[in-house]
Amino acid sequence: MCIRDRLERLPLNRNFIDIFNTVPGAVGKIDTYSGSIHGATPTTVTYELDGVNANSPTHGGPIVYPHYDAMEEVEIATGGLPAQVGNTGGTYVNIVTKSGGNEFHGHIQLYYTNESLTNILFPEEQLTAMGFGKPESPIYDWDVSGTLGGPIIKDKIWFFSDLGLLASKRHGRFIPTTILGKRYDQFDLPETTWRGMFKLTFQISESFRFFTMLHGEILDRDVYNWWHTKRTYDSRFVLNNNTRIAATGNLTWIIGSDTFVDFRVGYVNRWYPIVTDPQYDANESYVDSYTGYTWNGIPTWKSKITRQTKQASARLTHFQDDFLGGDHEIGVGIEYIWGLDRYGYERTNPLTWYYYNGNPYYYRGYYGLNSPHPIFGDGRLRFTNCGKNPHDSEKDLIVNRIGAYIQDAFTIHNRLTINAGLRVDYYN
């Protein structure tokens, strides 16, 4: 469990990914759906944000996670999970966001670094002679954020707000080259992310407390496929207006000193368009299978992906002391999740033309021939099988899940706790 004071002091980059990777056995990056713990697959990790499931509905991984300054505490459990936690193969991540109080609190902070703080050991001419570009390092990196929380009506209504900007540019990994007499140089990778959160908490009466939270994020990345070392600038993908939204409402009903019920509704959505630069959109693509370079246009298709869930749950918790030789925390609950993954594919020019070591007649170059290959023919062309307009090639993947559980955390003399529970989930 990482609580606020510890989060502020950990020597980490200011993001949830690095918190996740402090857990023993954790590997990979959760935002690329490759993060896992103890060798399990990434889909076995369940994420909750203020009690609302934040997983992608069809293949796991987090749809959304809040700005670093908005997190009050982070719990990462890797075993012995209660029956309350569903849709998991063994790891549970629970993120609780900050709330306002009866006093005003806030802060503004800035982190900045730039290229002058990085020492490149080789001069640019020598890098060019060796066939390399500049190392992937920040040209500039901004992290600006601010928070403000406090009372609207003391002892009745509180608010918390958070706004952050991440802006960076770094050298790309592209290896400069000359293709068919045209020079392709290394290019930079600019990226901008805005994140914000607003939370309201209401003490309706002694028995009822309600909060609602809205989190949003917009990411723009000029080069989506930044990891490719041999894809030219005109054949890149662009991530434009990648939007993440999470909204939740939670009503807590305190029935008595030892019993309460939480009613929750939630909505999570990620709009994930992977598109092209408009000036190169209609270009055919060329790929040299010998050198590995791709140029002039995208070799596959644009993707416009929507991932969202709508959910509701009710959870009752009852504490019973000195019963059957110990103390009990009994939980009963039911939850429903509806999920959608919508995949849309499109490509304006469906042609990809394959070269081999500069030869546009692929099979002549591959087999060293001066005429067409007797079986495979002369050249190698590929055409994508999708439409060129939005919604021409689109597929909806729908998920319905309903789950119910009962559990008992039985503690004997504050020395031994036995978690016993039963959970049933139905998927369609």
Side-chain angles (χ1 to χ4, degrees):
M1 173 76 75
C2 286
I3 58 176
R4 179 176 58 187
D5 291 342
R6 189 177 301 172
L7 290 172
E8 292 175 352
R9 290 168 172 77
L10 284 172
L12 301 173
N13 288 327
R14 291 167 37 78
N15 58 62
F16 172 67
I17 300 169
D18 281 14
I19 298 175
F20 181 88
N21 286 330
T22 62
V23 177
V27 295
K29 296 184 66 175
I30 60 169
D31 61 336
T32 57
Y33 305 104
S34 63
S36 66
I37 293 180
H38 299 323
T41 63
T43 58
T44 62
V45 182
T46 290
Y47 300 88
E48 284 194 359
L49 175 62
D50 279 344
V52 173
N53 185 279
N55 284 69
S56 174
T58 58
H59 68 273
I63 296 180
V64 63
Y65 45 87
H67 187 237
Y68 194 86
D69 294 330
M71 293 186 291
E72 175 72 22
E73 60 184 54
V74 178
E75 175 189 6
I76 302 177
T78 61
L81 301 180
Q84 173 183 319
V85 180
N87 192 37
T88 180
T91 300
Y92 170 61
V93 178
N94 180 37
I95 303 172
V96 179
T97 61
K98 294 179 180 178
S99 301
N102 275 335
E103 296 182 0
F104 286 100
H105 291 280
H107 80 278
I108 297 175
Q109 60 187 14
L110 165 68
Y111 293 86
Y112 173 70
T113 186
N114 63 31
E115 193 169 21
S116 64
L117 302 176
T118 303
N119 184 23
I120 300 176
L121 300 180
F122 298 94
E124 190 169 352
E125 310 81 59
Q126 190 171 351
L127 289 171
T128 302
M130 293 188 295
F132 292 102
K134 293 181 180 180
E136 185 183 347
S137 58
I139 299 171
Y140 64 79
D141 195 337
W142 291 89
D143 184 346
V144 186
S145 63
T147 65
L148 180 63
I152 297 177
I153 300 176
K154 284 194 173 183
D155 300 321
K156 289 291 184 181
I157 306 176
W158 308 270
F159 79 95
F160 177 81
S161 59
D162 166 73
L163 182 64
L165 167 65
L166 302 173
S168 67
K169 181 188 283 188
R170 64 186 191 275
H171 298 296
R173 296 184 179 181
F174 180 75
I175 301 174
T177 189
T178 299
I179 302 175
L180 302 178
K182 182 178 179 180
R183 179 66 181 176
Y184 291 90
D185 289 317
Q186 188 176 15
F187 48 86
D188 298 330
L189 309 176
E191 180 176 321
T192 303
T193 302
W194 286 95
R195 281 179 179 160
M197 191 198 81
F198 188 74
K199 188 174 185 178
L200 280 174
T201 306
F202 303 83
Q203 188 67 51
I204 301 172
S205 68
E206 290 185 0
S207 299
F208 291 95
R209 186 181 180 96
F210 175 77
F211 77 79
T212 182
M213 182 274 295
L214 175 65
H215 166 82
E217 173 185 315
I218 299 177
L219 165 66
D220 288 309
R221 184 178 289 164
D222 188 59
V223 182
Y224 171 71
N225 46 296
W226 54 267
W227 55 89
H228 284 285
T229 61
K230 295 187 175 182
R231 185 173 291 183
T232 61
Y233 189 74
D234 52 16
S235 67
R236 78 196 191 284
F237 285 100
V238 178
L239 205 58
N240 250 350
N241 294 320
N242 177 11
T243 304
R244 304 176 193 241
I245 297 173
T248 182
N250 183 101
L251 176 66
T252 300
W253 175 24
I254 301 175
I255 300 175
S257 60
D258 52 14
T259 306
F260 67 91
V261 183
D262 281 322
F263 300 96
R264 291 189 179 102
V265 293
Y267 172 77
V268 181
N269 184 80
R270 184 179 186 187
W271 165 237
Y272 192 35
I274 305 171
V275 295
T276 58
D277 188 325
Q279 63 180 315
Y280 308 118
D281 184 61
N283 290 6
E284 64 271 14
S285 176
Y286 298 98
V287 178
D288 193 314
S289 297
Y290 179 81
T291 64
Y293 280 95
T294 299
W295 69 97
N296 199 62
I298 60 170
T300 54
W301 48 81
K302 297 179 283 185
S303 302
K304 294 182 178 178
I305 304 169
T306 299
R307 294 177 177 140
Q308 66 176 252
T309 64
K310 300 174 183 177
Q311 50 198 281
S313 67
R315 299 173 179 175
L316 180 145
T317 302
H318 175 72
F319 299 94
Q320 182 67 55
D321 296 336
D322 298 324
F323 180 69
L324 297 178
D327 301 331
H328 300 258
E329 181 182 335
I330 300 170
V332 180
I334 186 170
E335 61 187 17
Y336 170 74
I337 296 179
W338 175 90
L340 164 70
D341 266 15
R342 173 172 293 158
Y343 290 82
Y345 302 98
E346 57 186 89
R347 185 174 175 186
T348 304
N349 189 328
L351 171 63
T352 300
W353 185 322
Y354 285 86
Y355 280 55
Y356 193 85
N357 198 18
N359 192 333
Y361 300 99
Y362 177 85
Y363 289 107
R364 294 191 192 188
Y366 186 82
Y367 289 102
L369 304 176
N370 294 318
S371 60
H373 189 279
I375 298 176
F376 303 123
D378 217 2
R380 180 184 173 193
L381 306 178
R382 185 181 69 192
F383 297 87
T384 52
N385 59 341
C386 60
K388 65 179 182 179
N389 300 308
H391 313 298
D392 282 350
S393 305
E394 198 170 69
K395 178 65 177 177
D396 286 355
L397 309 175
I398 306 295
V399 174
N400 286 280
R401 176 166 66 89
I402 186 169
Y405 70 90
I406 182 170
Q407 64 188 30
D408 181 12
F410 176 33
T411 302
I412 302 172
H413 300 304
N414 294 321
R415 292 181 175 274
L416 174 67
T417 298
I418 300 172
N419 285 301
L422 174 67
R423 182 181 181 94
V424 178
D425 286 285
Y426 173 77
Y427 294 84
N428 183 17

